[in-house]
Amino acid sequence: MSTLEFSTDDLVINEDGRVEINNSAFAKGLIDHVKGLDPGTVGLFDNCNCSKDKVISRVALKGVVPALKLKLDPGTVGLFDNCNCSH
Amino acid sequence: MYRVDSSQELQVSFFSNQTLELIVLPTEQCNFRCTYCYEKFIGRFLSKESVDSIKMLISKRAPELSQLRIGWFGGEPLLAKEIVYEISNHALQEAKRYKNLLFESGMSTNGYLLDLETAKRLIEYGVNEFQISLDGPSEIHNKTRVKKDGTGTFDKIYSNLLELKNSSLLFKINIRIHMSKEASSYLDAFVASVSEEFSNDDRFRIFLKTIDQLGGDNDEDIGIITGDEKVELEHRLSNIVKKNNVELINPGSSYICYAARPTSFVIRHNGNLVKCTIGLDDEENQIGKLTDDGKLEIYQHKMRPWLEGAVKLDRGKLQCPRRTLSSL
């Protein structure tokens, strides 16, 4: 899988539980990548328990660009701990 | 049109500030003493200050959220059902206030206290997904999923399930059937029986799960099923479930753990924040503390290792970040 290059050191979780990305290069690259986003490209994961069809997602890129709205399939969520390691 | 790699889109989704997931342990006490359990049953209940703080956090974030998920865990969360009601109702009211906010909530419960009246009230407050575990037929289950006084629990749990089945309530229940050495010879017949009982009712789903050693006092005594034996048993039981027209939950290799998601937080009964509901006291798991004013005090250096899967889209770390943290 190709990923956007950044590191966990670029991330801060603030007191409200928000993610702040403190890497302007990553932020700009992210914007380039998500322009003209086709929601249909999602589909890597199929363990969704959600009832909502789509989640409008926004990534707040602190101090770099305005908040961005994306349409994303919430295929990454699951309320329960059904991994291979948990009870 | 510029076509976006779906993995990049997925990566972006992890860092969305329009989603917030709280897994709340309103108590770590339990009315059960499952023989394989890893929990220590410490402390009492989430304090009034912590309950108010969680409500403050929800209210503060609600205007910008499109998705708020609250998972109830324990201990047995229904020992603290007034707390569950209070926080859930608060979240529900915020969701009514902000039309873009979808509130979803579920509970991992042993099912013993999930009678019809309790279920009705939980569902009324938006808690409508439940996961309930059975260790096999009563003769097996009652040896391992026992109450504090050592007595069996199967009949009560099963009668609650049947009562819910016979109701018109809208919910989803994952019946998690545990696979162990002790139960293996009973499971074909048991899974067939449960599947038949709940067939053609899409409110019920079945999930097959092995019992694992997770740090409990009796880990050495657990008959774990692994390797080919696990694969064969799971395959055989899955076919029984499917044949009976019951949805089978199969996370498979695509599963992403809540602990790998940056905007997911586990709140313990004492207000401590962890990422994973296993190894609650592990040093690596201590990522912060809920303050009394609706804030999360995050220890960034402790948080970051849990985020590596989301940053690198490392499948192993997304499936189970705990397993891949080197010092655990």
Side-chain angles (χ1 to χ4, degrees):
Chain A
M1 286 189 283
S2 65
T3 61
L4 300 168
E5 287 302 318
F6 68 118
S7 110
T8 55
D9 291 338
D10 298 325
L11 300 174
V12 171
I13 309 297
N14 77 12
E15 63 186 21
D16 297 332
R18 292 185 182 91
V19 180
E20 294 175 354
I21 300 173
N22 296 310
N23 177 331
S24 58
F26 165 67
K28 285 171 183 163
L30 190 63
I31 294 302
D32 289 342
H33 277 96
V34 296
K35 273 181 188 166
L37 183 68
D38 175 3
T41 56
V42 178
L44 275 181
F45 297 88
D46 59 0
N47 60 339
C48 179
N49 283 328
C50 307
S51 55
K52 193 178 183 185
D53 291 335
K54 287 176 181 172
V55 172
I56 307 300
S57 182
R58 184 180 66 192
V59 179
L61 303 166
K62 189 181 177 187
V64 181
V65 291
L68 178 72
K69 287 195 173 182
L70 304 173
K71 286 185 177 178
L72 294 172
D73 186 317
T76 60
V77 295
L79 273 178
F80 302 110
D81 53 326
N82 289 330
C83 58
N84 289 327
C85 57
S86 62
H87 70 158
Chain B
M1 177 185 284
Y2 187 94
R3 188 168 177 83
V4 176
D5 185 307
S6 58
S7 61
Q8 291 168 346
E9 187 174 352
L10 174 74
Q11 194 179 28
V12 171
S13 77
F14 283 132
F15 303 105
S16 166
N17 283 321
Q18 286 195 322
T19 63
L20 176 66
E21 180 172 23
L22 303 175
I23 298 172
V24 184
L25 283 56
T27 181
E28 288 169 41
Q29 292 299 316
C30 190
N31 49 344
F32 281 22
R33 286 294 181 272
C34 303
T35 54
Y36 44 80
C37 188
Y38 59 88
E39 293 209 31
K40 306 295 181 204
F41 315 112
I42 59 164
R44 297 293 297 165
F45 298 98
L46 203 61
S47 69
K48 178 79 176 83
E49 290 76 17
S50 291
V51 170
D52 289 342
S53 184
I54 292 170
K55 288 160 66 178
M56 270 187 260
L57 175 65
I58 290 169
S59 290
K60 191 163 36 175
R61 296 294 310 279
E64 68 171 343
L65 291 175
S66 63
Q67 190 179 37
L68 170 65
R69 300 169 66 81
I70 300 181
W72 294 100
F73 197 77
E76 169 49 44
L78 288 180
L79 290 177
K81 59 185 174 185
E82 293 304 326
I83 292 174
V84 177
Y85 295 152
E86 182 176 348
I87 293 174
S88 301
N89 188 36
H90 181 80
L92 186 66
Q93 297 314 313
E94 293 292 6
K96 286 179 179 171
R97 194 168 157 207
Y98 299 101
K99 299 301 176 197
N100 287 331
L101 172 57
L102 174 70
F103 170 50
E104 296 178 310
S105 186
M107 175 182 286
S108 293
T109 169
N110 58 40
Y112 195 87
L113 299 171
L114 191 62
D115 54 38
L116 202 55
E117 199 53 42
T118 302
K120 270 184 193 168
R121 197 153 171 208
L122 288 168
I123 292 166
E124 186 185 323
Y125 292 145
V127 186
N128 53 19
E129 290 190 42
F130 304 94
Q131 180 156 277
I132 296 170
S133 298
L134 298 171
D135 283 355
S138 59
E139 57 265 43
I140 297 295
H141 178 103
N142 284 341
K143 286 181 186 165
T144 49
R145 287 187 80 78
V146 295
K147 284 198 290 183
K148 276 166 94 170
D149 63 8
T151 57
T153 61
F154 184 90
D155 289 349
K156 179 68 175 166
I157 297 169
Y158 211 77
S159 73
N160 282 343
L161 286 170
L162 292 177
E163 201 173 24
L164 286 164
K165 178 195 160 196
N166 293 327
S167 76
S168 58
L169 294 173
L170 295 176
F171 55 77
K172 288 282 185 187
I173 290 183
N174 301 339
I175 301 174
R176 190 160 89 168
I177 297 178
H178 286 152
M179 300 181 288
S180 65
K181 289 261 191 210
E182 292 75 12
S184 61
S185 62
Y186 296 81
L187 285 177
D188 289 64
F190 180 66
V191 169
S193 165
V194 173
S195 302
E196 283 170 25
E197 187 77 63
F198 296 97
S199 65
N200 298 311
D201 186 337
D202 63 8
R203 296 174 301 174
F204 292 89
R205 301 177 288 204
I206 290 179
F207 178 53
L208 302 167
K209 175 78 177 71
T210 50
I211 297 275
D212 294 316
Q213 293 176 328
L214 296 170
D217 292 340
N218 301 320
D219 269 5
E220 299 289 314
D221 303 325
I222 299 173
I224 293 174
I225 295 182
T226 56
D228 290 345
E229 187 184 6
K230 177 184 172 183
V231 172
E232 284 165 23
L233 180 63
E234 202 164 351
H235 180 70
R236 204 169 67 236
L237 298 178
S238 297
N239 284 338
I240 294 172
V241 174
K242 289 174 192 167
K243 200 173 78 180
N244 283 288
N245 203 21
V246 179
E247 183 183 345
L248 180 73
I249 297 175
N250 182 18
S253 61
S254 61
Y255 178 81
I256 296 175
C257 180
Y258 55 85
R261 295 196 288 270
T263 55
S264 174
F265 307 91
V266 178
I267 302 174
R268 296 184 69 181
H269 80 283
N270 55 8
N272 286 350
L273 301 176
V274 295
K275 281 298 275 179
C276 176
T277 56
I278 302 173
L280 288 169
D281 294 316
D282 289 348
E283 187 54 37
E284 289 78 2
N285 206 4
Q286 313 306 312
I287 55 118
K289 194 162 181 53
L290 177 73
T291 65
D292 286 347
D293 54 355
K295 292 178 181 171
L296 305 176
E297 183 186 341
I298 302 291
Y299 314 141
Q300 304 295 336
H301 67 292
K302 291 287 194 70
M303 182 71 164
R304 286 185 179 125
W306 295 89
L307 308 183
E308 283 184 8
V311 166
K312 302 295 181 194
L313 287 189
D314 179 307
R315 197 170 281 272
K317 290 178 178 176
L318 287 172
Q319 285 177 1
C320 183
R322 178 178 185 266
R323 190 172 48 203
T324 58
L325 286 179
S326 56
S327 55
L328 287 174

